[in-house]
Amino acid sequence: MLKVILARIRQGYRTIKFPAAPPPPLPDRFRGRPEIAASPCPDGCAECERSCPTGAIARNRDAGGLRIARGAAASGPSMDLGACLFCADCSEACPRGAISFTRDYRLSARTREALAIAPGMRELALAGALEKKLRRLFGRSLRLRQVSAGGCNACEADVNVLTTIGWDLGRFGIQLVASPRHADGLLITGPVTKNMELALRKTYDALPEPRIVIAVGSCAVSGGPYIGRPEVLGGAPAVLPVDLFVPGCPPHPLTILDGLLRLVGRIEDTPRGRARRQEGGIG
Amino acid sequence: MTRDDIPLARAANGGSVPLEAIPSFKAEELSELIAGCLGLGLRLSAYFGAAPKAGRASRSARPPVAELFVVLADDERSALYAGRAPVGAEGFPSIAARFPQAQLFEREIFEQFGVEPIGHPWLKPVRYARFAGGELVQPTPNALAKPWVEPRSAQGEPIVPGTGDFFRVEGEEVHEVAVGPVHAGVIEPGHFRFQCHGERVFHLEIALGYQHRGVEEALAGGPDKRSLHYVETACGDSTIAHATSYCAAIEALSRTRRTARAQAIGAIALELERLACHVGDLGALSGDVGFLPTASYCGRIRGDFLNMTALICGNRFGRNLMMPGGLRYDLDDARAAELTRRLGVSAREAKNAIDLLWDTQSVMARFEDTGRLSREAAIELGVVGPAARASGLSRDVRFDQSSGIYRLSHIPVSTYDSGDVLGRAFVRHLEIQQSVAFIEEQLGSLPAGKVLADAADAERIALAPDSLAVALTEGWRGEACHVAITDAKGAFSRYKIVDPSFHNWPALAYALRDQEISDFPLCNKSFNLSYCGHDL
């Protein structure tokens, strides 16, 4: 018993202060939100498109099947963050070095369209909070049932890590629960294999209404590396209505936490918040 | 036959052999040859089908529908052997009843190519795959397995996983417990069917396939710009292990030499992956017996090891670190120093947390004698990795089939002989110490030079045509075996992945016999096998 107490003292208090304080620094090689410089491409160059493993970046056409509504798209390639694996192959391929990956970990959006990146864009339309009624229900207590539908266990692992003492998801009233009957929403990982479709639908049907769906990882958002493969359906949106998209392969735990906190309205993009983040040196 | 005159082609870990140098047998002969080798104490690393070579068909009255390939490992002599045989629609003799380690391989061949292992004691689908070679799988009428003669729909749509026959124990007081595919925790899907007498488990059958994404099918025709991503996500918690095997296979086929520095840093990443998973699993085991201190500390420390991988390459799971020919990121001096510092801190904290387990009687009482896998059963089932070593088998690719930096810098094989949950936990504990010492040694003497071989560009490397390459890597769960076969143009005509979980799932089922059903989570976590690595 004494050893247990001594170990407790030695291991210390380790929960991060985020979001009240800036999060712990991310590694310098971390690849977060990409930026495409608004400089014109050389004539006929499509190196980025050629290099991208998933078709997430495209010149002269809509990336990843996403309709990019901005006229700016004509001046350079556009990118679908939902299909991006953050491998930076495009960045290496671009002869002008016009594509870069910043250390901005904030990537979550409420709609698939908001994950489109056009040249010159320096800020995503980040996820806003749930509608008033849902927020009143889930804002202080959100219980999620996680379903892996073809996930490789990387997204699953980094969702799970949020429940450890370092992140302590429970302090926000967000909890991962065992039964869909006890849950307010589904957190889906994986490209949704045909072999998991039935189980996923049944789990969703078992959730009491109102219910929400969160897609974590590029597989669940778009199919990721498995886009177009006949064994998968191409992510959660192919099967269910999705309320929050969290891109990444896998997303950093901070990216997932940021998305969840935005959804329940605990992080809001006020000018003050933005200023504080910049002071913290993250981004 | 003795170990001196095995009539198969000698292969090396990370080496390639021209297909014409691999002796071809009749299917019956190959089955007997494999049985003979397994009888000598070799084990199956891979046994799979491939599309038959065109051209040879015309000479035979019954054209082959597949070509079988086998890779056998002789761990005592650090040797690998390869053989092959064309097989027709009439099937091939099963050896599964005599050598249980072959049973899942034979079922997979049946599922993927429709050729029947005749006499297989329990022939049913492995992954409920819908496509083989891009074609919708049609139920095979000559199959014994019910799922394939009773398709769910009239359209010939194959049935979903978890349906079909399960092994049943009959009796008035016997009941069946079905669990999954969706489990209580944040964990991948699989279906478990227990035959119970009260709390006591008579038999457990595990049905997988839910995670089947068609990784091997997608790799065929490659390598291309997606190949590495398929490999890295084949089993995401073993990204480095699988990427290492993939790169080694490509390098063997293209005669590319990885620099010493790239080998060393690659091995550091592989050991970091092992550290993160072993520490995390010891924490989870602690949580499963309700001992929260170690569970809490290890959960956090696991993240510290993942962050060390991210320090090297920006991603906590090592995505985009490995590439054929070397690495994408170098470990500069400042980074190596920071890694050394963090490793020291986390290793001390992990030891402090893990040592509590061995000092706590309530933990030891739950670990000891739970889920015992005897040495004999481990050999028969062909178990690999820490699960094999916990049953007293000295079986470790880093030592037995060493390649790369592991030929120069040996890691002692950690074994324990109890075969129970304690054994599997304690082997992890020993391996954590070995991995920390190995990384520290490597960081202290990193070879100078570049991390990428000249002219290494995944898409432009020309692969030797009509060849077979074998690459084994000891990931944290065990042997990640990759076999690449190229066609006349040097593209993959077949790319076979055998995740260690493919060998070990039946061992979990076996270890549950005569256990309390409430100990299932504990036994399961002590193996912690991969669903997606099995389902591919």
Side-chain angles (χ1 to χ4, degrees):
Chain A
M1 193 62 211
L2 190 62
K3 281 180 181 164
V4 175
I5 295 167
L6 285 174
R8 176 69 192 84
I9 293 165
R10 202 168 151 193
Q11 297 280 345
Y13 179 87
R14 308 300 282 258
T15 307
I16 61 167
K17 297 254 182 332
F18 181 80
L26 290 163
D28 60 333
R29 287 173 173 170
F30 175 77
R31 293 176 294 280
R33 179 179 54 80
E35 280 181 4
I36 305 167
S39 62
C41 296
D43 276 345
C45 177
E47 285 299 310
C48 54
E49 191 175 327
R50 199 190 60 79
S51 70
C52 180
T54 61
I57 187 160
R59 178 100 173 83
N60 302 329
R61 70 176 172 82
D62 297 334
L66 258 194
R67 194 140 284 281
I68 313 267
R70 292 168 183 80
S75 71
S78 49
M79 190 190 255
D80 171 10
L81 204 55
C84 180
L85 304 181
F86 298 78
C87 66
D89 279 351
C90 54
S91 172
E92 281 174 28
C94 178
R96 296 225 166 156
I99 305 162
S100 59
F101 284 78
T102 68
R103 285 205 291 152
D104 187 355
Y105 62 86
R106 304 164 305 138
L107 304 170
S108 302
R110 293 292 308 276
T111 64
R112 196 66 186 77
E113 289 68 32
L115 294 174
I117 291 187
M121 256 177 73
R122 308 209 54 174
E123 187 91 10
L124 280 173
L126 291 166
L130 289 163
E131 299 69 49
K132 203 172 168 195
K133 185 184 161 205
L134 283 177
R135 193 173 160 186
R136 215 176 63 229
L137 279 168
F138 301 149
R140 293 174 147 276
S141 164
L142 178 65
R143 293 175 177 223
L144 298 170
R145 170 64 255 195
Q146 203 275 325
V147 175
S148 168
C152 74
N153 208 23
C155 286
E156 290 79 356
D158 266 353
V159 168
N160 228 350
V161 87
L162 292 179
T163 64
T164 63
I165 49 172
W167 302 86
D168 191 14
L169 192 61
R171 68 198 153 115
F172 306 109
I174 306 174
Q175 207 183 342
L176 298 166
V177 294
S179 170
R181 298 279 189 214
H182 303 160
D184 305 308
L186 278 187
L187 190 154
I188 300 171
T189 52
V192 187
T193 56
K194 286 189 177 160
N195 282 353
M196 259 310 275
E197 182 188 1
L198 181 65
L200 179 62
R201 285 189 192 277
K202 281 187 172 180
T203 309
Y204 181 74
D205 290 343
L207 293 171
E209 288 187 81
R211 56 200 168 187
I212 60 168
V213 174
I214 299 166
V216 172
S218 60
C219 279
V221 173
S222 67
Y226 298 93
I227 287 175
R229 295 301 307 168
E231 292 86 354
V232 305
L233 294 166
V239 187
L240 298 171
V242 178
D243 299 280
L244 181 70
F245 296 92
V246 186
C249 187
H252 194 276
L254 192 55
T255 303
I256 306 172
L257 182 60
D258 172 74
L260 291 173
L261 294 183
R262 285 175 192 278
L263 190 69
V264 297
R266 281 179 180 262
I267 295 183
E268 281 173 307
D269 253 334
T270 58
R272 223 176 77 204
R274 217 173 290 146
R276 198 166 56 195
R277 260 197 318 278
Q278 275 156 10
E279 280 164 31
I282 301 296
Chain B
M1 189 170 67
T2 66
R3 287 184 189 233
D4 292 318
D5 55 6
I6 293 170
L8 295 167
R10 273 293 281 269
N13 180 12
S16 76
V17 190
L19 283 179
E20 57 187 10
I22 299 174
S24 186
F25 300 89
K26 285 184 182 156
E28 312 82 76
E29 290 170 355
L30 187 69
S31 286
E32 268 321 298
L33 202 52
I34 295 170
C37 288
L38 298 181
L40 289 173
L42 275 70
R43 59 185 179 82
L44 275 174
S45 270
Y47 183 24
F48 58 96
K53 265 259 177 289
R56 202 181 300 143
S58 57
R59 285 169 51 199
S60 161
R62 284 215 250 187
V65 293
E67 188 166 23
L68 301 182
F69 282 87
V70 66
V71 176
L72 289 150
D74 183 345
D75 294 329
E76 278 177 31
R77 297 196 174 182
S78 301
L80 294 172
Y81 296 94
R84 57 179 173 151
V87 56
E90 69 278 7
F92 61 102
S94 165
I95 58 166
R98 282 183 286 160
F99 296 99
Q101 63 175 294
Q103 66 95 12
L104 210 50
F105 286 106
E106 290 183 350
R107 280 164 58 183
E108 185 189 45
I109 292 167
F110 172 57
E111 179 171 59
Q112 291 181 335
F113 291 90
V115 288
E116 188 184 330
I118 296 156
H120 193 291
W122 196 236
L123 192 57
K124 57 187 282 183
V126 177
R127 313 188 168 95
Y128 298 78
R130 289 146 186 264
F131 299 90
E135 300 287 317
L136 187 69
V137 169
Q138 294 298 331
T140 330
N142 68 343
L144 295 172
K146 267 193 166 172
W148 293 85
V149 290
E150 289 177 2
R152 183 168 55 120
S153 72
Q155 288 81 44
E157 177 88 346
I159 53 165
V160 293
T163 47
D165 279 355
F166 282 84
F167 184 83
R168 285 186 71 125
V169 180
E170 302 286 348
E172 267 187 31
E173 294 185 4
V174 177
H175 65 277
E176 193 176 60
V177 179
V179 181
V182 178
H183 304 286
V186 180
I187 182 171
E188 297 173 71
H191 182 76
F192 300 86
R193 195 73 71 90
F194 299 88
Q195 310 295 322
C196 294
H197 181 247
E199 289 286 294
R200 189 171 154 215
V201 178
F202 280 159
H203 184 77
L204 161 64
E205 189 170 346
I206 300 169
L208 303 175
Y210 298 94
Q211 300 286 72
H212 179 58
R213 298 149 293 166
V215 172
E216 289 180 358
E217 291 86 343
L219 282 161
D224 57 40
K225 58 188 179 182
R226 267 205 213 180
S227 302
L228 188 59
H229 298 284
Y230 291 131
V231 170
E232 286 187 334
T233 56
C235 173
D237 54 30
S238 303
T239 295
I240 295 288
H242 279 287
T244 302
S245 284
Y246 171 79
C247 293
I250 297 270
E251 287 158 18
L253 287 166
S254 62
R255 308 254 176 253
T256 310
R257 261 190 87 82
R258 185 166 277 250
T259 65
R261 188 174 177 85
Q263 287 179 10
I265 298 170
I268 289 171
L270 184 66
E271 297 306 323
L272 283 175
E273 189 169 85
R274 191 181 326 277
L275 284 169
C277 293
H278 279 1
V279 168
D281 279 358
L282 287 173
L285 280 170
S286 181
D288 277 341
V289 298
F291 184 65
L292 298 184
T294 304
S296 305
Y297 309 146
C298 284
R300 178 189 67 76
I301 299 164
R302 174 181 165 280
D304 288 347
F305 285 113
L306 294 177
N307 286 338
M308 288 180 218
T309 302
L311 178 72
I312 302 176
C313 69
N315 183 290
R316 283 157 56 92
F317 293 83
R319 299 280 157 85
N320 302 299
L321 172 62
M322 311 291 290
M323 66 181 283
L327 307 173
R328 281 193 180 210
Y329 295 94
D330 198 358
L331 196 60
D332 50 77
D333 290 346
R335 212 171 285 272
E338 171 67 5
L339 188 55
T340 308
R341 187 190 68 77
R342 287 204 214 171
L343 183 71
V345 172
S346 296
R348 276 194 301 278
E349 289 178 347
K351 185 174 187 320
N352 175 257
I354 293 164
D355 279 346
L356 292 178
L357 292 174
W358 325 125
D359 286 333
T360 306
Q361 284 185 7
S362 62
V363 171
M364 293 298 274
R366 289 291 308 280
F367 281 13
E368 275 177 332
D369 271 332
T370 306
R372 192 178 283 275
L373 181 73
S374 69
R375 182 186 159 86
E376 293 69 34
I379 293 171
E380 282 204 27
L381 294 169
V383 178
V384 297
R389 297 192 279 277
S391 292
L393 297 183
S394 176
R395 193 174 271 185
D396 188 327
V397 170
R398 291 173 293 172
F399 192 81
D400 303 325
Q401 311 280 353
S402 60
S403 67
I405 199 79
Y406 294 107
R407 279 176 306 181
L408 309 171
S409 191
H410 297 287
I411 291 192
V413 181
S414 306
T415 61
Y416 203 71
D417 55 10
S418 64
D420 51 10
V421 171
L422 173 64
R424 288 184 286 278
F426 203 76
V427 163
R428 312 261 204 129
H429 166 63
L430 296 173
E431 291 187 11
I432 287 168
Q433 297 165 38
Q434 301 289 4
S435 293
V436 169
F438 175 86
I439 297 175
E440 282 174 346
E441 184 193 325
Q442 296 305 317
L443 286 172
S445 58
L446 272 184
K450 295 186 297 182
V451 292
L452 199 55
D454 289 327
D457 180 340
E459 284 177 66
R460 294 197 190 97
I461 289 179
L463 304 188
D466 291 318
S467 299
L468 176 147
V470 188
L472 308 176
T473 303
E474 186 74 20
W476 65 274
R477 278 194 193 93
E479 166 184 304
C481 172
H482 287 216
V483 185
I485 302 176
T486 53
D487 62 15
K489 288 179 184 150
F492 297 144
S493 58
R494 178 78 164 104
Y495 196 95
K496 180 77 203 127
I497 296 176
V498 187
D499 187 83
S501 303
F502 194 79
H503 297 280
N504 286 5
W505 274 111
L508 168 63
Y510 191 86
L512 247 284
R513 289 195 175 177
D514 262 341
Q515 301 297 304
E516 302 273 307
I517 191 169
S518 50
D519 278 337
F520 175 69
L522 183 61
C523 291
N524 190 20
K525 187 51 82 177
S526 73
F527 284 88
N528 196 7
L529 302 175
S530 170
Y531 299 75
C532 56
H534 172 279
D535 293 348
L536 293 175

